[in-house]
Amino acid sequence: MAFRIEGEDRKGRWLVTCDHASNRVPTWVGGGDLGIPAEDMARHIAWDVGAAGVASELGRMLDSPVLMSDFSRLVIDPNRGEDDPTLVMKLYDGTIIPTNRHITAEGVEERLDRLYRPYHAAYARLAALRPDRVIVAVHSFTPCLRGRSARPWHVGVLYSHLDDRFSRPLIARLQAETDLCIGDNEPYSGHLPGDAIDRHALRLGRHNTLVELRNDLIGTPGEQAHWAARLAPILTAALADLEA
C-alpha cells in the first residue's frame, strides 16, 4: 500500500499530512532492501523520525483526516516533483544508496505508478472534500547533518514566498512561546516547485503550512503526543488570527 489514511470521516477543516511517515521498502524494490545498513534506514535519510506519531495525534486533536505515506523517501520522495533530480536519491547525507545507483527510467516509472501517484491521488481527493481545507504538513529534521553545525531550532515553519498567509500568524504564535527557538523558513526554504504543498495547496489557493520538528524531541510516543497537544491550539489560534 502506498499510503495510510486516519479519520477520513472527521469533520474538521484541516488535512494533516506526513509525506515521510515510513521507512518501509516494498519487497518488489530490491527484495525490500536498498542495500544500506539498518542503522541508516532508521536515520532521517529514510523517513522523518517521529513525524507520523505527531501527525496522527494532531489529526485526532483537530478532528481532521490524516494522510501518511507508507514507503521510504529513499524509494521515491513524494515531496518532490516528478521531474525533480532528487526524486530518487542516490546519495543522501553521506550515505550511498546502492539499489538506486543504477536505476533505469523504467524503474523510476514503476515507483511513480505504484507509490508516488497513488499517494498524490489520495492527497488530492482528501484535500477536495472541503472547499475551506487547510493543509498542515508534518515533517521532522535531524539536529545535525554530518559535518555541519548543530541546528538550534525546536520547530521550523516552512512556507513559499508565493503564499505565507497562514505561516506568518503561526510563526508569531510560536515565537510567543518563550521556551522555543522557532525557525522562520529554517532549517531550509519551504518553496520547492512541484513538491506536495506546491501541488495541492499553492496551485489551488488553499491555506497551508509545513511544520518541521527537531527529531530528537519526538522520539517516543509520549513526546509525539506532547508536541501534538502543544501545536493543536496554536494552529487553531493562528487560523483564527488569519481570518479575524
Side-chain angles (χ1 to χ4, degrees):
M1 191 65 176
F3 57 86
R4 293 183 293 123
I5 297 172
E6 295 181 359
E8 180 170 345
D9 296 330
R10 291 171 182 162
K11 303 304 182 185
R13 66 182 290 192
W14 308 85
L15 173 59
V16 180
T17 67
C18 191
D19 299 322
H20 302 143
S22 173
N23 60 356
R24 185 179 73 90
V25 180
T27 55
W28 51 269
V29 176
D33 188 347
L34 294 174
I36 64 175
E39 54 266 32
D40 273 332
M41 286 303 299
R43 295 175 60 218
H44 69 99
I45 65 171
W47 63 327
D48 280 356
V49 178
V54 176
S56 179
E57 283 295 305
L58 192 59
R60 185 181 62 80
M61 292 174 183
L62 294 172
D63 191 32
S64 295
V66 181
L67 172 68
M68 294 182 275
S69 67
D70 195 24
F71 54 92
S72 172
R73 67 192 299 174
L74 292 180
V75 175
I76 193 165
D77 193 334
N79 196 34
R80 296 291 185 272
E82 290 197 16
D83 59 350
D84 192 301
T86 65
L87 180 67
V88 177
M89 293 290 280
K90 300 179 180 182
L91 173 69
Y92 194 0
D93 195 21
T95 297
I96 294 171
I97 319 302
T99 302
N100 293 347
R101 286 188 71 182
H102 303 294
I103 191 170
T104 63
E106 292 77 15
V108 173
E109 189 66 21
E110 181 179 21
R111 297 185 194 186
L112 284 166
D113 277 342
R114 296 181 68 170
L115 299 171
Y116 180 102
R117 290 172 182 146
Y119 175 78
H120 282 287
Y123 202 139
R125 183 179 63 80
L126 290 170
L129 291 177
R130 286 188 60 138
D132 59 350
R133 186 68 88 194
V134 181
I135 295 175
V136 177
V138 178
H139 290 249
S140 71
F141 64 94
T142 184
C144 188
L145 291 168
R146 287 177 173 172
R148 305 284 186 89
S149 300
R151 292 162 159 176
W153 310 284
H154 300 100
V155 183
V157 177
L158 275 55
Y159 55 90
S160 170
H161 64 282
L162 299 175
D163 182 8
D164 62 358
R165 290 172 297 167
F166 179 54
S167 294
R168 285 296 175 197
L170 177 60
I171 289 169
R173 286 277 178 177
L174 285 166
Q175 287 176 337
E177 304 283 308
T178 57
D179 61 324
L180 297 181
C181 179
I182 304 301
D184 181 339
N185 252 355
E186 297 286 0
Y188 23 72
S189 169
H191 182 68
L192 185 63
D195 71 4
I197 288 291
D198 181 42
R199 182 170 179 168
H200 298 287
L202 297 180
R203 297 178 190 178
L204 297 162
R206 294 185 176 115
H207 288 319
N208 67 89
T209 196
L210 190 154
V211 176
E212 289 265 5
L213 293 154
R214 207 176 68 206
N215 68 25
D216 61 327
L217 303 176
I218 54 172
T220 68
E223 290 169 336
Q224 294 155 19
H226 165 80
W227 277 97
R230 187 162 188 181
L231 287 170
I234 294 174
L235 286 162
T236 301
L239 185 60
D241 293 341
L242 171 63
E243 297 185 333

